[in-house]
Amino acid sequence: MDGSQAPAKVKTSLEDGVGVITLNDPGTLNAAGLELMAELTAAFDDFAYGDKARAIVITGEGRGFCSGANLSGGGGTGRGSPAGKANSALIGTFNPFVAAVRKSPKPLVAAVNGVAAGVGVSIALAADLAVAAESAYFLLAFRRIGLVPDGGATWMLPRLVGKARAMELMLLGEKLPAKTAAEWGLINRCVPDAELKDAAMQYARALAEGPASLGLTRNLVWDALDSSFVEQLEAEAYGQGAAQLTADAAEGVAAFVQKRPAKFTGR
């Protein structure tokens, strides 16, 4: 044994206040095994709750964004059947990660560079803004292995594209090209492959330059998908009170009065 360590399955970088998280197992099209998910969770927590980044981008290395759960390579817990492995992995690994992204204090952008399948679709849709390369596609082919969509897909898809299209994607298990995904409102933009990083970073830099209230806003919007109108009015009032206490709110008011662009710090 040479003692060398295996390459990290997740890479991180910091660009203009944007924490970039790159799934880095291109040989499997970035299939989500337990090792990759542990590294992804650690990278997300570092950027979401630390002071390094004010916005986050999640993308993939190579031809895939994330090809789904890797049940044969560490995506389960050793139970005999794929269904058993899937259930354990969901409860212990995937669900906690998607739930953490759902409650992120900082806005996220998904840059879908290739296939997003299975739980990879859920990871992409858990972001606040999503841009995909023209060659990318979304696939929920659980019917082929006798399982059900997971990672929050059955909650997110009907809310994003409506019941009819959600049923079509999940019951038929056919590929949804990125261009159609944009037309359906599943993602924000579909761009030429060579422009993906620039398009995602354009979104992310705008978020990173914004006030701390953007984190409150993204959580209000996610909460609204489950709230009544009256509940949401109360949530907005609470959020407004929290936003008013930030340094960025004071700067925004001062900049407005002084007729100059605001310089937000994310605090």
Side-chain angles (χ1 to χ4, degrees):
M1 297 178 62
D2 61 9
S4 60
Q5 293 183 337
K9 293 187 181 296
V10 170
K11 299 187 297 184
T12 62
S13 62
L14 193 63
E15 305 176 32
D16 301 326
V18 177
V20 180
I21 300 173
T22 304
L23 308 187
N24 186 42
D25 194 9
T28 67
L29 298 178
N30 302 313
L34 288 182
E35 185 178 347
L36 183 145
M37 288 303 300
E39 293 183 25
L40 175 58
T41 299
F44 169 77
D45 287 347
D46 185 37
F47 284 143
Y49 295 98
D51 295 329
K52 299 176 183 177
R54 292 168 59 184
I56 302 168
V57 169
I58 299 179
T59 190
E61 186 70 39
R63 297 182 297 110
F65 175 76
C66 175
S67 59
N70 186 354
L71 299 182
S72 63
T77 60
R79 294 188 184 180
S81 70
K85 289 183 178 182
N87 186 55
S88 294
L90 282 170
I91 294 172
T93 302
F94 297 110
N95 288 353
F97 174 74
V98 176
V101 171
R102 160 69 182 80
K103 292 294 186 180
S104 174
K106 296 177 184 176
L108 295 88
V109 178
V112 184
N113 54 299
V115 56
V119 76
V121 175
S122 299
I123 291 173
L125 299 186
D128 305 311
L129 300 173
V131 56
E134 288 179 340
S135 65
Y137 62 88
F138 299 83
L139 178 64
L140 290 164
F142 290 90
R143 58 170 287 158
R144 299 180 188 175
I145 54 175
L147 297 178
V148 302
D150 54 31
T154 59
W155 186 91
M156 289 186 281
L157 275 170
R159 287 165 169 77
L160 290 170
V161 299
K163 171 182 169 288
R165 285 172 170 167
M167 286 291 192
E168 181 178 344
L169 290 173
M170 292 185 278
L171 295 183
L172 301 182
E174 297 174 346
K175 294 180 181 179
L176 180 70
K179 181 179 179 182
T180 306
E183 293 171 352
W184 283 11
L186 189 68
I187 61 174
N188 297 87
R189 293 176 61 191
C190 173
V191 299
D193 287 27
E195 298 176 14
L196 178 65
K197 180 179 179 180
D198 286 344
M201 289 301 293
Q202 183 179 16
Y203 274 145
R205 288 190 187 99
L207 296 172
E209 292 170 358
S213 61
L214 293 184
L216 296 168
T217 299
R218 58 92 55 196
N219 276 292
L220 280 168
V221 174
W222 279 105
D223 288 344
L225 298 176
D226 255 354
S227 301
S228 70
F229 182 65
V230 172
E231 289 171 335
Q232 200 60 19
L233 288 174
E234 294 175 354
E236 288 174 353
Y238 177 84
Q240 197 70 285
Q244 287 172 348
L245 298 177
T246 64
D248 281 342
E251 163 63 9
V253 172
F256 177 80
V257 171
Q258 297 167 16
K259 296 182 170 46
R260 61 171 175 81
K263 296 181 179 179
F264 297 120
T265 62
R267 294 180 176 83

